[in-house]
Each structure stands twice: as C-alpha cells, then as structure tokens.
Amino acid sequence: MGKYSALQNDIFSVFNSPAWKAENVKTFPADFIAINAGNEYLRVNVIAGTIGINRRSVSGILIIDIFTPAGLGPKRANLIADKLDSYLENKSVSLSADATTQFGTSVLTPLGTDRDNPSLSRSSYEIPFNFFGVIK
C-alpha cells in the first residue's frame, strides 16, 4: 500500500472506531456529498505537504471543519474540539506494522457563519501530522 493510502487509512480509522462513533458526531471526508448531514457534523481533510524522513514518509496537516447550529455561540464547537484532542492530540495511530501516523498540537479557529449554509456556524480544527513509513 502506498503512503497516501496508508495515511488516509490511519486517520479514518480514528473516525471509524466504536469509541468515536459513540460520540455521536457525524464525520465525513472532504469532497463527500452528505445528504441530510444535519446541523452538526465534521468535514475531514487530509493535506499531505512535505516529504518526511524517507520516500515512504510525509508530513502535513489534518483540517477538520466543525459545523454546529449558528447563533448558539462557540460552546459546542469547543466541546467537539476537546473531544478531537482526546483522540488525536499528541497521539499515534498505526494500522500497519510498517507505518505510523503521529499527531502534534491542535489549533481551533472560529470562522463564524458558514457562507454556504447560514444556518450553520463553522470552526476549523487543525492539527499537524507526520506519517512515518518503513522502506522495505
């Protein structure tokens, strides 16, 4: 499996876990058209940036858009960001014996009312990652 596929599998394994599903926050990958997503959900975007320590490694940033009902203030987005931290911040994920994804420290940025759907408020949760693959 290539590094980008393995990286994506590692990251989405967090959101496919029974523990995350028990959080009851709908989570979709970027560019997925969700019919009836509701008034609270996450959109996950994996952005691989620079080459890591070898050709099977890559660094980048995970950007998660947090959508909550508009007009209710930042409390719910902050609670969701705290939940995300408990799964991601300074943690490692590995589905393969020859690769690991490590996360750094997150940043939450409130972005206000969503321009595409004014009934939603949007915040951006960003966390850097390093994916380390072993060359065989």
Side-chain angles (χ1 to χ4, degrees), residues 30-67:
D31 201 33
F32 179 82
I33 299 172
I35 306 299
N36 298 323
N39 62 359
E40 180 179 284
Y41 63 94
L42 306 181
R43 183 173 56 204
V44 179
N45 193 4
V46 181
I47 300 175
T50 60
I51 300 298
I53 59 172
N54 62 42
R55 63 184 163 92
R56 289 259 309 134
S57 300
V58 64
S59 297
I61 191 160
L62 178 63
I63 299 175
I64 301 175
D65 291 319
I66 301 171
F67 294 93

Side-chain angles (χ1 to χ4, degrees), residues 1-13 46 56 58 93-101 129 131-134:
M1 178 180 305
K3 65 184 172 190
Y4 298 110
S5 296
L7 167 64
Q8 181 112 353
N9 287 344
D10 275 359
I11 290 173
F12 281 98
S13 73
V46 181
R56 289 259 309 134
V58 64
V93 178
S94 181
L95 289 182
S96 167
D98 62 352
T100 298
T101 303
F129 65 80
F131 174 82
F132 300 102
V134 176

Side-chain angles (χ1 to χ4, degrees), residues 36-134:
N36 298 323
N39 62 359
E40 180 179 284
Y41 63 94
L42 306 181
R43 183 173 56 204
V44 179
N45 193 4
V46 181
I47 300 175
T50 60
I51 300 298
I53 59 172
N54 62 42
R55 63 184 163 92
R56 289 259 309 134
S57 300
V58 64
S59 297
I61 191 160
L62 178 63
I63 299 175
I64 301 175
D65 291 319
I66 301 171
F67 294 93
T68 56
L72 299 180
K75 182 177 181 178
R76 183 63 183 153
N78 290 340
L79 289 171
I80 292 171
D82 287 338
K83 285 181 185 188
L84 288 167
D85 274 352
S86 72
Y87 288 86
L88 299 172
E89 192 170 50
N90 298 313
K91 303 270 194 306
S92 295
V93 178
S94 181
L95 289 182
S96 167
D98 62 352
T100 298
T101 303
Q102 294 178 338
F103 296 96
T105 302
S106 69
V107 174
L108 179 66
T109 306
L111 300 173
T113 303
D114 184 52
R115 69 172 188 238
D116 296 326
N117 184 346
S119 71
L120 297 175
S121 181
R122 183 173 150 218
S123 296
S124 180
Y125 175 94
E126 299 179 10
I127 189 164
F129 65 80
N130 291 302
F131 174 82
F132 300 102
V134 176

